[in-house]
Amino acid sequence: MLESNCNFFVVDDHQLIIDGILGMLKEEANFTFLGSANEGYTAEEKLLELGGQLDLVITDINMSGQTGIDICKKMKSAFPSVKVLIISMYQNNTVIREAMMAEADGYILKTSGKKDFILAIERIMEGGSYYSEAILPIIYQEFKKEQEKVDALAQLTSRELDVLKLIVQEMTSEDIAKALFISKKTVDNHRQNLLVKTGSKSSIGLVKFAIKAGLEIQ
């Protein structure tokens, strides 16, 4: 359950999907529906109007006008604090890679159940990321093809590496604090240092960095 209110917007070319999402979230606490759109350009216009009122955009990928990837890029550029969760039927390397490069906070398949959907939202609203288990192997396979050793990895302290490994495992700052027996404030400080040292903008950016750097997670 979310601890604070989440203002969300849904983009999908099938009204049935939008209605289904609203039905699920109406049963959960602290969710406020701010609107929806069935087409990319209409979605962009409405989203830009709402701007800072939004906390979360839930969007499909394939629809008329602009794609969900386009919408994600524009929202991240205009309103970096707004989280973006992509829901899609696509389970191929190219699309998933594009979603990660667009800094999507999460990517979940439409075949997923309500439990995974709610978990994905909770995870990204707490500052983490969420990519369906079914597509995680695809992500690693794709990025390992162009894996490169990044000099910045050598600049990280052992504790920063510990924190980074847990971020890759999609843990929140609170979870990491408990795992490492340190305070949440200390974790947040390490997270900020990691963002600066790696040139990343978000948690998913840190995940991308770790994969491309060949960081051993286990």
Side-chain angles (χ1 to χ4, degrees), residues 9 11 47 54-59 71 75 82-85:
F9 190 99
V11 187
L47 288 169
L54 281 168
D55 299 303
L56 172 68
V57 176
I58 303 169
T59 179
I71 290 171
M75 288 304 295
V82 175
K83 307 296 183 181
V84 178
L85 173 63

Side-chain angles (χ1 to χ4, degrees), residues 5 7 18 20 22 30 39 41 49 53-55 77 97 105 126 131 139 146 184 190 198 205 218:
N5 189 63
N7 296 324
I18 294 176
L22 293 183
N30 298 326
E39 186 270 340
Y41 289 117
E49 286 179 0
Q53 301 177 55
L54 281 168
D55 299 303
S77 176
R97 174 184 170 81
D105 300 281
E126 291 171 356
Y131 278 67
I139 294 174
E146 56 180 71
K184 181 178 178 295
H190 285 313
T198 64
Q218 297 299 333

Side-chain angles (χ1 to χ4, degrees), residues 40 44 49 51 53-55 71 81 84 90 96 98 107 110 120 134 152 168 171 173 176 186 188 199 210 212-214:
E44 180 187 0
E49 286 179 0
Q53 301 177 55
L54 281 168
D55 299 303
I71 290 171
S81 64
V84 178
Y90 291 112
I96 294 168
E98 288 179 353
Y107 189 115
K110 287 186 176 179
V168 172
M171 286 191 179
S173 291
I176 295 172
T186 299
D188 289 337
K212 294 176 76 173

